Amino acid sequence: MNKEIEKDEKQEARAKEQAVVLGLLSKIVEVLDKGIVELYNVELELDEVTLQIPQTALEALPVPTAVVPQKPAEIAKPGVQAAVGVAKAVEIIGKKIVELAKIAFEEPKLKFTGKVVEVKMGATRNEGGSRDKVIVLGGHTCPPYYYLAGYKPPHPPAFGGDTFDMRIGLPRAVKRVFGDALGNPVEWAKMWVDKFGAEAIDIHLVSTDPSIKDASPEEAVKVVDSLLQAVKVPIVAGGSGDPEKDVLVFRKIVEAFPSEGLVMNSLNLDMKLEDICPYIGKTNTAVINFSPMDIDKAEEINRKSYEWIPRERIILDLNIGGIGYGTEYGFTTMERARLSALIGNELLQHPFNVGAANAWGAREAWIAMDPYWGPKEIRGPLWETLTCIICLLAGADYFMILHPLTIKVLKALREYLFSEPKPKDPEKALNWLSAKIPVI
């Protein structure tokens, strides 16, 4: 019985072997028909094999080629494999770089449908005023300092010096620069223009505030008149911030100097615009419309102002905070407004004003701190300067500045941006690429 079972198992195993061989032979015939036969490391033990190949297939068979099996290559070490992989990758990248180098570069040409209006500050004698020089802001048709395709901003940013019509609390760094002039707005303004090169004077009439001195509009007119006599740059006349009193003060000023090209700082939605805008509209006075980091309100006040004041006499102030005190909210609002203006929003197509002195509202700009932060006499001006640079790159046009160092730095930066200087020593100019930053 066991012998019969063993015999049956042998026959079954032989039948399986024959089935495998026949399957292999059928695949050989199939590839022969395609003209491809490659066998490696194959050993067949057969009793008798009969291949029946059609005559047509024989005629199409290729000349047999003996292929000597190669010795299996030794498996490379992991480090060698990695090096080979890197080499292959470098080779592929190199070929791609060569292909890209053959492609001609075309500078992108941005086209915007909108344009920022041009606003003039001041008026010369030929224009009915008494200024030696005027300032023109705006005119932008592209994002700020977009030098590709040869674009340059049509008008450079301008920098004005802040003064006040009465002595107020100011940082020590400012007091050390201006000294006794802080109690006299005329001497303060002269110092700004003659010594520090301010291109305009901002006079803040804080004494008119009902909660401070409640100075009359007539007294404010006298202060503005004295400044017009003392310096020959454009004048920006600012109120106290009281919406009711400012309306009365602004009205008196524009009636007294209808052709001087003054700039009134500022109008806002808390005022009764119908009580002041018609008087401004009858003169060549420009205005600063104030909207604190709110584009919707900026559009609203501009829309209302258009009823009396031409668009080309409106500057927009979206407000700015010092570094660490809201700078990011301010300059991002400027960027949004400018891009909206360039794509066609007429309500925002106005130059930007920056009250840079707001930077001193950050305590770190003037309080005593750890020596690591440096002396406050330098830290404060730098705080204001960096705030201005951020706004400058966001597209701001006019800056109200409290410290002379800020104007000095901004003028140098403006010259650099508009002259597009080429370094005399390119290698030295690119040293920053390999510079090591100290770890603190």
Side-chain angles (χ1 to χ4, degrees):
M1 187 69 177
N2 291 336
K3 290 182 179 181
E4 291 179 0
I5 295 174
E6 185 178 348
K7 185 178 181 180
D8 290 340
E9 289 177 351
K10 288 182 179 180
Q11 291 178 349
E12 184 179 353
R14 185 176 180 80
K16 287 182 179 179
E17 290 176 358
Q18 290 177 347
V20 171
V21 171
L22 292 174
L24 177 61
L25 289 175
S26 65
K27 291 182 179 180
I28 292 174
V29 172
E30 183 180 347
V31 295
L32 279 173
D33 189 46
K34 296 179 180 179
I36 302 172
V37 178
E38 292 185 9
L39 300 177
Y40 295 95
N41 300 323
V42 175
E43 183 179 344
L44 299 177
E45 293 182 2
L46 305 171
D47 292 338
E48 183 178 349
V49 178
T50 302
L51 296 178
Q52 295 181 351
I53 303 174
Q55 185 65 30
T56 55
L58 285 172
E59 294 174 358
L61 285 176
V63 178
T65 302
V67 180
V68 179
Q70 300 177 353
K71 294 178 65 178
E74 295 182 2
I75 300 175
K77 296 181 180 179
V80 176
Q81 290 180 342
V84 172
V86 171
K88 290 182 178 179
V90 170
E91 181 182 1
I92 294 172
I93 294 172
K95 290 179 180 179
K96 290 292 182 182
I97 291 175
V98 172
E99 293 175 5
L100 290 173
K102 296 178 181 179
I103 301 174
F105 171 72
E106 294 183 4
E107 291 185 355
K109 297 180 180 179
L110 295 181
K111 292 185 178 179
F112 292 91
T113 58
K115 179 182 179 180
V116 176
V117 298
E118 295 180 331
V119 178
K120 183 185 292 186
M121 299 172 61
T124 63
R125 290 177 177 81
N126 293 334
E127 298 167 327
S130 60
R131 305 300 87 196
D132 289 344
K133 187 178 180 181
V134 300
I135 295 172
V136 180
L137 306 175
H140 312 291
T141 57
C142 266
Y145 310 106
Y146 194 89
Y147 285 116
L148 292 181
Y151 176 76
K152 287 186 179 181
H155 302 291
F159 313 116
D162 274 353
T163 61
F164 296 82
D165 67 341
M166 60 175 287
R167 188 178 288 273
I168 65 170
L170 291 171
R172 182 179 298 177
V174 177
K175 293 178 180 178
R176 292 182 63 176
V177 173
F178 293 103
D180 295 336
L182 296 178
N184 186 331
V186 172
E187 294 302 318
W188 196 349
K190 285 182 178 180
M191 201 169 178
W192 259 125
V193 175
D194 298 337
K195 186 174 182 179
F196 301 117
E199 296 162 338
I201 290 297
D202 317 309
I203 176 65
H204 300 280
L205 302 165
V206 294
S207 68
T208 61
D209 191 323
S211 63
I212 300 179
K213 282 190 176 182
D214 198 19
S216 67
E218 289 76 14
E219 291 178 273
V221 169
K222 291 180 181 179
V223 173
V224 174
D225 185 38
S226 63
L227 289 174
L228 287 169
Q229 300 296 326
V231 295
K232 296 303 177 182
V233 297
I235 302 295
V236 180
S240 64
D242 184 276
E244 295 181 3
K245 186 64 176 290
D246 283 353
V247 167
L248 301 175
V249 172
F250 290 171
R251 178 174 171 177
K252 279 292 182 181
I253 292 175
V254 298
E255 287 177 340
F257 311 103
S259 58
E260 282 288 357
L262 298 176
V263 180
M264 307 311 297
N265 175 37
S266 60
L267 303 185
N268 58 70
L269 291 173
D270 293 330
M271 292 179 169
K272 290 184 178 180
L273 299 178
E274 63 274 15
D275 290 345
I276 181 59
C277 288
Y279 296 92
I280 294 175
K282 294 176 183 178
T283 70
N284 67 353
T285 304
V287 298
I288 296 175
N289 281 351
F290 181 72
S291 174
M293 304 183 192
D294 191 321
I295 288 181
D296 292 335
K297 289 185 178 180
E299 292 177 343
E300 183 181 353
I301 189 172
N302 286 345
R303 186 186 300 109
K304 290 181 177 180
S305 300
Y306 293 163
E307 186 175 344
W308 303 282
I309 304 174
R311 295 176 68 244
E312 62 273 13
R313 295 220 304 269
I314 296 176
I315 301 170
L316 184 58
D317 188 339
L318 292 168
N319 201 10
I320 189 67
I323 296 175
Y325 281 72
T327 305
E328 63 277 15
Y329 295 104
F331 82 80
T332 53
T333 303
M334 288 183 200
E335 291 174 330
R336 289 168 51 211
R338 179 56 51 83
L339 289 175
S340 179
L342 293 176
I343 64 177
N345 187 342
E346 294 185 354
L347 293 172
L348 297 175
Q349 292 174 349
H350 296 276
F352 293 146
N353 173 71
V354 172
N358 290 346
W360 294 87
R363 292 184 308 158
E364 293 82 357
W366 53 269
I367 64 172
M369 296 178 67
D370 187 279
Y372 171 81
W373 292 96
K376 57 184 179 182
E377 289 78 13
I378 299 297
R379 190 182 344 119
L382 289 178
W383 216 275
E384 182 180 54
T385 300
L386 290 175
T387 300
C388 286
I389 291 174
I390 292 170
C391 296
L392 183 74
L393 297 178
D397 299 274
Y398 182 68
F399 296 78
M400 297 179 175
I401 295 168
L402 194 58
H403 198 283
L405 179 61
T406 302
I407 282 188
K408 183 178 181 180
V409 174
L410 290 178
K411 279 189 172 183
L413 182 59
R414 179 180 64 185
E415 181 181 357
Y416 181 87
L417 289 172
F418 275 77
S419 63
E420 299 181 56
K422 296 181 180 179
K424 296 180 180 179
D425 188 347
E427 292 185 4
K428 186 178 294 185
L430 295 175
N431 279 348
W432 65 272
L433 292 173
S434 59
K436 294 182 179 180
I437 301 176
V439 178
I440 299 176

